[in-house]
């Protein structure tokens, strides 16, 4: 199975400041079709996961443009340009290139 | 809008069989692959498997043959049966829709908590 790791696992941030989460995979996530199927999910306290980004960098409908995804091969990043109070959540990366699909351990973002 | 709603027993005894159901509204059950994903208390997410109305299913190897998924097209719902449960199966179980165009889970249910305990 592809192992997904994330860092940091805890990220205290100041409101209005940027935040960045790293996600690494144990093997390349470049699919045979040339796409990278890397997703980011947000799980707010007491809620189910909500997809923010799919196929490396495409934002879901309704997701603020302060969220962006990037990366290549085995290294990926989720950036929040200016953190807002509603962004307090656990963020998971998930690879959809190789079955079984696997998730990272999650990064908890909270406010300093 | 697509909605998924899980239902289940809440509490199951060790070695017994767990059955969960996911009711889907806003999408035809015949048009997608349908998944179960679980989250043990204070832990991360784990994909369990998917099923399709044609009978095709694929399971995560960690199940070791204990799991079966199926689709009920007349009720627009799908189910997970997990046999010989142990405390390690205690988790919040989510159902989710798989979008093959993006190889991703785009809609999730709210989750149903299952505790395995005598």
């Amino acid at each position: 199975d592809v192992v997904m790791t994330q860092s940091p696992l805890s990220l205290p941030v100041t409101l209005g400041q940027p935040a960045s989460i790293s996600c690494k995979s144990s093997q390349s996530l470049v699919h045979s079709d040339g796409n990278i199927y890397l997703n980011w999910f947000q799980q707010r306290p007491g809620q189910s996961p909500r997809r923010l980004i799919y196929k490396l960098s495409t934002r879901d409908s309704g997701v603020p443009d302060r969220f962006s995804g990037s990366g290549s091969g085995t290294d990926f990043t989720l950036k929040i340009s200016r953190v807002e109070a509603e962004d307090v959540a656990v963020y998971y990366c998930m690879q959809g290139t190789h079955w079984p699909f696997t998730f990272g351990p999650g990064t908890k973002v909270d406010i300093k | 809008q697509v909605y998924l709603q899980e239902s289940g027993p809440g509490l199951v005894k060790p070695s017994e069989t767990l059955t969960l159901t996911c009711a889907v509204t806003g999408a035809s059950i015949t048009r997608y692959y349908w998944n179960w994903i679980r989250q043990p208390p204070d832990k991360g997410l784990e994909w369990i498997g998917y099923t399709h109305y044609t009978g095709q299913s694929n399971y995560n190897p960690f199940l070791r043959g204990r799991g079966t998924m199926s689709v009920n097209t007349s009720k627009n719902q799908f189910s997970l049966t997990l046999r010989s449960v142990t405390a390690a199966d205690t988790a919040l179980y989510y159902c989710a829709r798989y979008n093959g165009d993006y190889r991703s889970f785009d809609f999730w249910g709210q989750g149903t908590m299952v505790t395995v305990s005598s």
Side-chain angles (χ1 to χ4, degrees):
Chain A
D1 297 1
V2 177
V3 177
M4 305 296 289
T5 57
Q6 291 180 231
S7 62
L9 297 183
S10 178
L11 182 58
V13 296
T14 301
L15 288 174
Q17 293 301 302
S20 180
I21 299 170
S22 172
C23 171
K24 297 182 188 296
S25 58
S26 61
Q27 55 185 277
S28 173
L29 297 188
V30 179
H31 192 267
S32 56
D33 64 11
N35 291 306
I36 294 177
Y37 295 104
L38 189 283
N39 305 266
W40 289 96
F41 292 89
Q42 175 194 64
Q43 187 174 33
R44 291 174 172 147
Q47 296 186 14
S48 56
R50 165 201 181 196
R51 194 179 64 183
L52 297 177
I53 288 172
Y54 59 93
K55 222 166 80 171
L56 183 63
S57 59
T58 303
R59 273 190 307 275
D60 270 275
S61 174
V63 174
D65 61 7
R66 64 178 182 275
F67 289 93
S68 64
S70 63
S72 61
T74 60
D75 290 349
F76 310 97
T77 303
L78 174 70
K79 291 184 179 177
I80 310 174
S81 59
R82 295 173 306 279
V83 172
E84 298 189 6
E86 66 178 19
D87 300 336
V88 169
V90 179
Y91 293 83
Y92 295 94
C93 59
M94 187 210 90
Q95 65 85 15
T97 297
H98 307 283
W99 289 103
F101 292 174
T102 47
F103 295 84
T107 293
K108 185 175 183 179
V109 173
D110 58 15
I111 306 302
K112 281 183 183 174
Chain B
Q1 183 65 298
V2 180
Y3 292 99
L4 294 87
Q5 180 65 59
E6 306 88 346
S7 59
L11 179 65
V12 184
K13 290 182 169 55
S15 80
E16 293 191 342
T17 295
L18 165 68
T19 298
L20 300 174
T21 300
C22 180
V24 179
T25 55
S28 171
I29 201 85
T30 63
R31 292 195 60 195
Y32 295 89
Y33 287 76
W34 302 93
N35 292 255
W36 290 97
I37 296 160
R38 71 182 185 182
Q39 186 171 33
D42 298 320
K43 293 189 178 179
L45 298 158
E46 185 172 49
W47 174 75
I48 299 171
Y50 70 66
T51 189
H52 191 254
Y53 83 102
T54 56
Q56 179 188 2
S57 295
N58 185 21
Y59 305 101
N60 196 314
F62 80 78
L63 289 180
R64 302 189 311 275
R66 296 187 299 131
T68 304
M69 296 182 189
S70 62
V71 173
N72 184 326
T73 55
S74 64
K75 294 184 177 180
N76 219 53
Q77 63 186 31
F78 64 104
S79 64
L80 165 68
T81 297
L82 189 59
R83 297 173 290 278
S84 303
V85 298
T86 71
D89 295 311
T90 293
L92 185 56
Y93 284 76
Y94 295 102
C95 56
R97 188 180 82 170
Y98 172 67
N99 188 320
D101 290 343
Y102 309 118
R103 298 177 70 86
S104 180
F105 306 121
D106 54 2
F107 291 97
W108 297 57
Q110 287 302 303
T112 186
M113 184 66 200
V114 174
T115 302
V116 179
S117 174
S118 55

